[in-house]
Amino acid sequence: MRIVETARELSELSYVVRQSGQKIALVPTMGALHEGHRSLIHVAQQHAEFVIVSIFVNRLQFNNEEDFETYPVTLEDDIAICRSSGVSALYMPSSSSMYPESFSTSVQVSGLTARFEGASRPGHFSGVTTVVTKLLTASAPDIAIFGQKDFQQFAVMRKLVKDLDIPVDMVMAPTIREEDGLALSSRNVRLSKESRQRAVSISQALFHSLSLFRSGIRDTQELIEATRQTCIGEIENLDYIAIVDAQTLDTVSEANLGDVLLFAGTIDGIRLIDNIIFSA
Ligand code: PAF
């Protein structure tokens, strides 16, 4: 596994790999890798011979300094996970190489970023779109893999590459869950034993709503209220529950196959997001 630390090295590597006829997949991450990331790597390997994982805790996308300071960093373990997963190259830029002092550009996607995570975390998405644009430019992958757990992030990135004509296929990999349903997230390590148990109510609420949908209920107010009732006792601060069109993220009044139920709330001061896609 090659480890590269600058955008220039990454571009040169990507050029050589493409010349050799291999396809490249990029898995962008902020480290603290877990089974969810392993699964993204696995999906990447199904699409391309050469898989690049990037690890960069992107200060620009944290709207809260404490969240950034306490974001888990487990570099040694991350490198071991990448090696044992058969990753071809690991890109680990320093903060100063990603954002030198002179850095003054930001990439903004309007519309899709105004709601949900964008409304609750001002500046978050411009941080994400700026860093991902840099990662895509440096690695020039054929495919980029993002997790379904950050559904809005995927929708925003899909719009970004379309609008900017970036020639990359965006692939969304399914959310990986613990046995009890909790969606895997690097932030889960911050949950106490008690709040970890309370957090299970989120996936229970989402799956309850999915079973109502499958039983024929389509009215979104009814589905949202059932979701709320299932988890409200465990959530300190419910940010949003919404049912949206998967492309536009516009809320819908009647749920249809492919629409997405989005959730965000706080337990024990830790903000958790999750979603499910309505399926038959
Ligand atoms: O989903 C993440 O881990 C981050 O938002 C990403 C895409 C790596 C950008 O920093």
Side-chain angles (χ1 to χ4, degrees):
M1 182 177 78
R2 277 279 301 273
I3 297 187
V4 294
E5 292 180 353
T6 65
R8 194 184 180 100
E9 276 178 280
L10 184 60
S11 297
E12 284 168 2
L13 175 62
S14 154
Y15 178 76
V16 172
V17 173
R18 262 178 294 125
Q19 291 297 97
S20 76
Q22 289 182 293
K23 271 196 165 186
I24 300 175
L26 172 70
V27 181
T29 82
M30 295 205 298
L33 303 184
H34 50 64
E35 280 308 309
H37 295 106
R38 266 197 207 271
S39 137
L40 298 181
I41 293 168
H42 185 65
V43 172
Q45 287 165 335
Q46 288 168 340
H47 286 84
E49 294 90 359
F50 197 89
V51 172
I52 301 172
V53 171
S54 65
I55 296 182
F56 180 68
V57 185
N58 177 34
R59 189 180 209 124
L60 282 192
Q61 72 186 73
F62 288 81
N63 56 310
N64 172 330
E65 190 60 23
E66 194 194 334
D67 195 21
F68 173 69
E69 298 293 347
T70 56
Y71 198 83
V73 175
T74 56
L75 273 187
E76 295 294 304
D77 290 352
D78 293 350
I79 294 172
I81 288 177
C82 287
R83 271 194 216 287
S84 67
S85 305
V87 167
S88 320
L90 183 54
Y91 177 43
M92 297 195 331
S94 65
S95 197
S96 58
S97 99
M98 184 63 89
Y99 300 126
E101 265 180 33
S102 57
F103 190 83
S104 61
T105 298
S106 92
V107 179
Q108 310 267 358
V109 172
S110 55
L112 284 181
T113 58
R115 281 161 275 167
F116 310 120
E117 290 307 285
S120 302
R121 303 177 65 191
H124 166 68
F125 278 122
S126 69
V128 174
T129 46
T130 300
V131 81
V132 175
T133 304
K134 293 197 74 176
L135 294 170
L136 291 174
T137 310
S139 60
D142 298 280
I143 294 137
I145 318 287
F146 293 83
Q148 182 192 323
K149 187 174 157 295
D150 295 292
F151 190 87
Q152 187 178 8
Q153 170 172 277
F154 179 78
V156 169
M157 293 315 309
R158 184 174 51 196
K159 186 77 169 64
L160 171 105
V161 302
K162 182 168 183 284
D163 287 354
L164 296 185
D165 304 318
I166 301 178
V168 57
D169 289 334
M170 303 295 277
V171 172
M172 185 172 72
T175 302
I176 303 299
R177 298 180 181 279
E178 304 272 10
E179 259 178 37
D180 60 11
L182 180 69
L184 294 195
S185 160
S186 304
R187 289 198 164 84
N188 289 355
V189 295
R190 288 203 220 142
L191 292 165
S192 66
K193 206 168 165 208
E194 191 246 343
S195 44
R196 162 75 185 71
Q197 272 168 359
R198 289 166 59 199
V200 177
S201 66
I202 299 170
S203 54
Q204 283 170 345
L206 296 179
F207 283 103
H208 175 54
S209 190
L210 176 61
S211 68
L212 293 178
F213 173 84
R214 286 178 173 163
S215 75
I217 295 176
R218 294 288 182 270
D219 180 69
T220 50
Q221 283 317 314
E222 199 176 330
L223 292 166
I224 288 170
E225 186 51 24
T227 311
R228 202 183 72 82
Q229 288 294 343
T230 312
C231 62
I232 194 67
E234 309 297 343
I235 308 296
E236 266 154 38
N237 182 6
L238 181 58
D239 189 352
Y240 57 80
I241 299 176
I243 299 179
V244 301
D245 175 271
Q247 297 290 325
T248 61
L249 302 189
D250 287 339
T251 54
V252 292
S253 55
E254 186 178 287
N256 281 300
L257 285 173
D259 288 343
V260 189
L261 173 54
L262 300 172
F263 170 95
T266 307
I267 296 182
D268 213 5
I270 296 156
R271 193 156 188 284
L272 297 169
I273 60 171
D274 199 353
N275 66 78
I276 44 144
I277 301 175
F278 287 120
S279 58

